Amino acid sequence: MAQCKFCGKSIVWMKEGRKNTPVEEDGTPHTCKEMQDSRKSLKKIEPTSLSKEEIARYEAAINEQAEKAKKKKKY
């Protein structure tokens, strides 16, 4: 049995279409206050809030990592 990382209750993961959802032992979908509070605290970044230099730096890092993975995969 898996445990909820927020409240510690034992849960089971069920597949609904392409999405895995946590289900409690009695078959009801698992939702806890700790999980909902955690989702509310996520920080949302709008693309317009980043400067062009920051975006270029992120893109360069992503491309560099992709090149390393490509080289590693060849050998």
Side-chain angles (χ1 to χ4, degrees), residues 51-72:
S51 69
K52 292 186 185 250
E53 293 83 21
E54 286 177 312
I55 294 172
R57 190 176 69 220
Y58 284 124
E59 287 178 351
I62 290 169
N63 292 337
E64 182 181 321
Q65 192 172 17
E67 284 295 320
K68 284 182 183 178
K70 197 182 285 185
K71 287 181 182 178
K72 194 174 191 180

Side-chain angles (χ1 to χ4, degrees), residues 8-70:
K9 256 185 160 178
S10 65
I11 57 171
V12 178
W13 289 97
M14 299 291 286
K15 189 119 178 150
E16 292 180 6
R18 296 184 65 189
K19 182 179 178 187
N20 290 326
T21 55
V23 178
E24 293 184 11
E25 292 177 342
D26 61 354
T28 58
H30 176 71
T31 56
C32 57
K33 181 149 179 60
E34 293 87 350
M35 179 173 59
Q36 291 170 351
D37 291 342
S38 172
R39 287 185 177 169
K40 287 180 185 175
S41 69
L42 291 176
K43 183 178 177 183
K44 294 184 181 181
I45 299 175
E46 296 296 324
T48 57
S49 68
L50 297 173
S51 69
K52 292 186 185 250
E53 293 83 21
E54 286 177 312
I55 294 172
R57 190 176 69 220
Y58 284 124
E59 287 178 351
I62 290 169
N63 292 337
E64 182 181 321
Q65 192 172 17
E67 284 295 320
K68 284 182 183 178
K70 197 182 285 185

